Amino acid sequence: MTTDIWVNETLYAGWGQRFRVVRELARRKSDFQDILIFESETHGRVMLLDGAVQITEMDEFVYQEMLTHVPLLAHGEAKRVLIIGAGDGGVLRRVLQHRNVERAVMVEIDGEVIRLAKEFLPSIAGDAWNDPRAEVLVADGIDYVRRAEAGSFDVVIVDSTDPIGVGEALFTDEFYANTARLLTERGLVVNQCGVPAMQAEELAETSLRRAKAFPDIHAYVAAVPTYVGGLMTLGWAAKDPSMRKTTAEEIRRRAEAAGILGTTGYWTPEIHAGSFNLPPYIAKHLPEQG
């Protein structure tokens, strides 16, 4: 049964998208944000935080695969992974698909997002919540990175809302400096940087901040249909510049060893390697590197 009820995304004042609602599943105001989950006519179940689409069952795999497999396979030997945010569990699930990962710590500030995702979006995380390698903390990611032991993680994945409200402090100089400290000597961090057609300043500003703590600053792209406006950029900050230049052949070898090859709907070794080749309209927002 379809209704004539529509949900309008309110991310931008002058442009947006809307979904026809089959039924509303949950509407909560947590201590941090407004959470809405509904069944859509076209995209399966959808989660909005403060009026902005976070995830849909139809295309979540694009974002989750690129946010996870690219850094882990570029590193090649990541055993300890820190996830900040990602309360739906999709990044945790993809991290744990890598058989060489020994420990995955997920720190999500809003426990209500985790609770509602478990209840209404169970397919996103699958069995990841129960994996013995996973440690899921309802806590402040800023505080966690501040306290984390130096060299305790190989890769950090930041899956946050945009740098307003609850997500704002995840884009500061202090956060990136602490992230660099807690990473091993070949460590790297990735984070979502918005859709540059509409949010170019997000990529530009966070890249400058990350450049204060990391020698190799770049971005890579993914085409996620429900992040309206074209290509989504994922920010890249690494201690070793060679990691983003790994060939597709070597990425394929690593993916096979990790058990990833053949499991994906968007990511491939060739897309991995090619995603760092940015269109000029995006590349111009990155800091010039010598």
Side-chain angles (χ1 to χ4, degrees):
M1 183 192 82
T2 58
T3 68
D4 204 34
I5 300 169
W6 294 78
V7 165
N8 289 286
E9 183 176 29
T10 57
L11 181 59
Y12 310 120
W15 186 38
Q17 64 180 324
R18 66 178 191 161
F19 299 86
R20 195 198 298 267
V21 177
V22 175
R23 62 191 174 116
E24 186 175 300
L25 299 169
R27 187 186 292 265
R28 304 280 190 278
K29 186 171 184 62
S30 74
D31 293 339
F32 302 97
Q33 55 208 337
D34 290 319
I35 307 167
L36 172 63
I37 302 176
F38 61 93
E39 184 92 39
S40 73
E41 183 179 333
T42 52
H43 289 65
R45 295 186 174 193
V46 180
M47 177 190 279
L48 275 70
L49 298 179
D50 287 338
V53 173
Q54 301 302 304
I55 198 162
T56 80
E57 287 182 322
M58 185 195 81
D59 63 9
E60 57 88 21
F61 67 93
V62 180
Y63 178 68
Q64 315 276 24
E65 289 174 10
M66 291 299 283
L67 193 62
T68 302
H69 298 329
V70 171
L72 265 60
L73 293 169
H75 185 286
E77 297 176 340
K79 292 182 170 56
R80 296 162 298 169
V81 180
L82 173 62
I83 305 162
I84 305 290
D88 54 72
V91 171
L92 181 66
R93 174 182 158 204
R94 268 36 176 239
V95 167
L96 294 170
Q97 284 179 339
H98 291 250
R99 58 170 68 113
N100 47 309
V101 168
E102 296 172 357
R103 181 176 184 235
V105 178
M106 173 181 152
V107 186
E108 163 63 57
I109 198 168
D110 195 343
E112 193 68 359
V113 172
I114 296 176
R115 189 184 73 76
L116 292 172
K118 285 180 176 179
E119 184 174 354
F120 295 109
L121 297 164
S123 66
I124 303 293
D127 296 329
W129 304 116
N130 305 313
D131 193 299
R133 297 171 293 163
E135 180 182 354
V136 178
L137 306 173
V138 177
D140 184 352
I142 314 301
D143 190 53
Y144 188 92
V145 301
R146 190 181 290 132
R147 297 168 182 266
E149 188 180 338
S152 54
F153 290 95
D154 300 306
V155 170
V156 176
I157 299 172
V158 183
D159 179 16
S160 67
T161 53
D162 292 312
I164 50 174
V166 70
E168 188 171 6
L170 293 171
F171 292 80
T172 63
D173 291 356
E174 183 206 5
F175 177 78
Y176 290 120
N178 281 322
T179 301
R181 180 187 54 77
L182 67 81
L183 282 165
T184 48
E185 60 185 27
R186 287 184 66 248
L188 71 147
V189 55
V190 296
N191 65 298
Q192 73 87 4
C193 288
V195 175
M198 295 295 288
Q199 301 167 302
E201 72 288 344
E202 191 173 316
L203 175 61
E205 290 170 10
T206 62
S207 295
L208 288 172
R209 292 184 183 281
R210 286 180 279 123
K212 296 176 183 177
F214 291 88
D216 187 47
I217 302 302
H218 206 70
Y220 60 103
V221 291
V224 188
T226 45
Y227 297 157
V228 297
L231 293 167
M232 156 72 72
T233 50
L234 302 166
W236 169 279
K239 297 186 179 184
D240 180 355
S242 70
M243 287 191 290
R244 67 178 163 90
K245 297 169 183 172
T246 309
T247 65
E249 291 74 22
E250 174 60 17
I251 293 296
R252 179 179 297 279
R253 187 194 66 76
R254 294 177 185 179
E256 192 161 21
I260 300 305
L261 214 56
T263 70
T264 58
Y266 184 91
W267 179 96
T268 68
E270 292 74 22
I271 285 174
H272 174 127
S275 67
F276 290 97
N277 297 316
L278 302 177
Y281 87 92
I282 296 177
K284 71 181 183 181
H285 299 294
L286 291 173
E288 290 186 19
Q289 299 185 62

